[in-house]
């Protein structure tokens, strides 16, 4: 049973994070090449603004912001799952090679299987999922020992190795492509939010609508998987079956996110850690907070990066890495 004080604390933090996301969203709408003043945002939102303000809000800012928040939420949830099932605080879809696997799948599809633009948007998350799933299956295979099960430290280290190898493969693929396709892949690698139209929202949204409730439903299993294996087996948890189900969910979340935002790491590392520091390690409590923190962090990084340097700004992936890399080093030294 969860103590009522913790539940109350969780609800207060959720409300504060929602307020923080709303405030950051208003600032994100306000600043940029085509600014909308604060007093015109709400009238424009309700159909009473000028044609220019409506275009900026509904065709440029709003879809980009929603995609960024959804991707940040997916990455944060993916990292939360990975940290629980591997019992390793350093697990993150960007660090252990899941994002790189998705990227290689996207690059191969983009270079060698040209499809109609309208179909491309909706197929991309599935392509990224297949690439990431193959990658994580290989990592799992190498990190699994017959009599000892999955080795968490080994899983992360092998994942880092796969991430580096797949990044090298991306460079090889780029070297054989024409210039226009190289530009797309280079932007993807940098974590440049490139899917900024409404269809990309409909492409990523179903994944979250299915997998967020699924993960919350499996919160108790995640708590048990976070224990050592003899204890989990002793209380009747089918470890490998539950771990594989949740690992596939984590892969799907990460793949759907990076398919529209590019290679963004560290969100899945930082958001769960911050959430656990606020309400403790119980999955029912910290996962909703981690999801909101992930959405806010990526929105903030994109807002700052988009306006930091003229004319094109700094990709959100680089902005996140500037914060996340020192945090990763700190955790590595601590653990």
């Amino acid at each position: 049973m969860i103590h009522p004080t913790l539940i109350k604390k969780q609800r207060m933090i959720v409300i504060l994070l929602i307020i923080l996301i709303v405030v950051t969203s208003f600032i994100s709408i306000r600043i940029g090449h085509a600014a909308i003043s604060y007093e015109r945002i709400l009238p424009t939102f309700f159909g009473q603004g000028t044609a220019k303000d409506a275009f900026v809000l509904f065709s440029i800012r709003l879809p980009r912001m929603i995609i960024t928040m959804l991707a940040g939420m997916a990455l944060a949830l993916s990292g939360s799952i990975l940290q629980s099932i591997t019992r390793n605080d350093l697990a993150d879809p960007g660090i252990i090679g899941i994002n790189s696997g998705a990227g290689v799948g996207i690059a191969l599809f983009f270079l060698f299987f040209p499809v109609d633009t309208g179909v491309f948007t909706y197929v991309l998350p599935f392509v990224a999922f297949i690439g990431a799933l193959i990658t994580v299956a290989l990592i799992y295979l190498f990190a699994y020992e017959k009599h000892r099960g999955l080795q968490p430290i080994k899983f992360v280290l092998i994942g880092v190795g796969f991430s580096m190898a797949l990044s090298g493969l991306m460079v090889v693929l780029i070297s054989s492509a024409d210039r226009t396709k190289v530009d797309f892949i280079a932007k993807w690698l940098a974590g440049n939010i490139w899917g900024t139209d409404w269809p990309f929202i409909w492409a990523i949204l179903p994944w979250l609508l299915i997998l967020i409730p699924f993960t919350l439903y499996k919160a108790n299993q995640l708590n048990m998987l976070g224990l050592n294996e003899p204890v989990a087996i002793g209380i009747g948890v089918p470890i490998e079956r539950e771990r594989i189900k949740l690992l596939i969910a984590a892969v799907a979340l990460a793949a759907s996110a990076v398919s529209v935002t590019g290679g963004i790491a560290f969100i899945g590392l930082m958001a769960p850690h911050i959430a656990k520091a606020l309400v403790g390690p119980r999955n029912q409590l910290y996962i909703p907070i981690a999801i909101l923190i992930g959405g806010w962090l990526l929105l903030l990084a994109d807002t700052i990066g988009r306006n930091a340097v003229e004319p094109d700004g700094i990709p959100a992936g680089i902005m996140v890495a500037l914060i996340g890399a020192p945090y990763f080093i700190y955790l590595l030294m601590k653990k």
Side-chain angles (χ1 to χ4, degrees), residues 200-249:
F200 290 98
I201 296 172
W202 313 132
I204 186 176
L205 188 60
W207 297 76
L208 275 83
L209 291 177
I210 294 169
L211 293 171
I212 288 176
F214 171 78
T215 307
L216 292 172
Y217 174 72
K218 291 286 186 179
N220 268 332
Q221 281 84 347
L222 280 169
N223 288 330
M224 295 171 191
L225 288 170
L227 305 170
N228 60 55
E229 292 200 3
V231 173
I233 292 169
I235 56 180
V237 179
I239 289 180
E240 292 309 319
R241 189 174 67 194
E242 290 299 322
R243 184 181 277 150
I244 288 170
K245 284 180 187 175
L246 288 159
L247 185 57
I248 291 170

Side-chain angles (χ1 to χ4, degrees), residues 33-319:
H33 292 301
I36 303 177
S37 63
Y38 290 119
E39 62 270 15
R40 295 210 311 270
I41 292 174
L42 285 177
T44 303
F45 191 81
F46 289 107
Q48 297 173 2
T50 65
K52 177 191 170 186
D53 289 344
F55 176 77
V56 171
L57 179 61
F58 292 110
S59 299
I60 300 175
R61 295 285 157 73
L62 206 55
R64 182 181 182 118
M65 285 164 43
I66 293 172
I67 287 166
T68 302
M69 284 188 284
L70 291 176
M73 290 174 178
L75 290 169
L77 183 54
S78 178
S80 300
I81 296 170
L82 289 170
Q83 287 175 23
S84 292
I85 64 177
T86 63
R87 302 190 303 278
N88 194 313
D89 289 341
L90 301 178
D92 169 85
I95 294 169
I96 65 173
I98 294 174
N99 290 4
S100 297
V104 169
I106 289 170
L108 289 170
F109 180 72
F110 183 69
L111 292 173
F112 302 112
F113 300 95
V115 294
D116 180 75
T117 306
V119 176
F120 181 78
T121 303
Y122 299 99
V123 171
L124 209 56
F126 290 97
V127 172
F129 174 62
I130 292 167
L133 190 61
I134 292 170
T135 302
V136 86
L138 290 170
I139 296 169
Y140 192 96
L141 187 66
F142 283 113
Y144 187 85
E145 295 181 9
K146 187 174 181 181
H147 299 294
R148 299 174 62 194
L150 182 70
Q151 302 302 300
I153 299 295
K154 203 173 178 182
F155 186 86
V156 172
L157 292 176
I158 291 171
V160 170
F162 263 82
S163 182
M164 295 173 68
L166 291 170
S167 295
L169 180 58
M170 288 281 278
V171 173
V172 173
L173 291 171
I174 286 174
S175 66
S176 62
D178 63 66
R179 182 58 186 271
T180 54
K181 293 185 175 182
V182 167
D183 287 345
F184 169 79
I185 296 171
K187 285 180 179 179
W188 190 95
L189 283 169
N192 201 333
I193 310 292
W194 66 275
T196 56
D197 297 324
W198 289 101
F200 290 98
I201 296 172
W202 313 132
I204 186 176
L205 188 60
W207 297 76
L208 275 83
L209 291 177
I210 294 169
L211 293 171
I212 288 176
F214 171 78
T215 307
L216 292 172
Y217 174 72
K218 291 286 186 179
N220 268 332
Q221 281 84 347
L222 280 169
N223 288 330
M224 295 171 191
L225 288 170
L227 305 170
N228 60 55
E229 292 200 3
V231 173
I233 292 169
I235 56 180
V237 179
I239 289 180
E240 292 309 319
R241 189 174 67 194
E242 290 299 322
R243 184 181 277 150
I244 288 170
K245 284 180 187 175
L246 288 159
L247 185 57
I248 291 170
V251 170
L253 285 160
S256 64
V258 301
S259 68
V260 296
T261 61
I264 293 174
F266 299 114
I267 292 289
L269 177 75
M270 293 187 292
H273 277 277
I274 297 169
K276 287 174 191 175
L278 291 171
V279 293
R282 195 158 183 166
N283 284 275
Q284 291 94 327
L285 289 171
Y286 90 80
I287 281 179
I289 292 172
I291 290 170
L292 291 173
I293 291 172
W296 175 72
L297 279 174
L298 193 53
L299 175 63
L300 180 67
D302 184 53
T303 302
I304 295 170
R306 182 166 51 83
N307 296 282
V309 178
E310 296 291 342
D312 297 324
I314 300 171
I318 293 175
M319 290 302 302

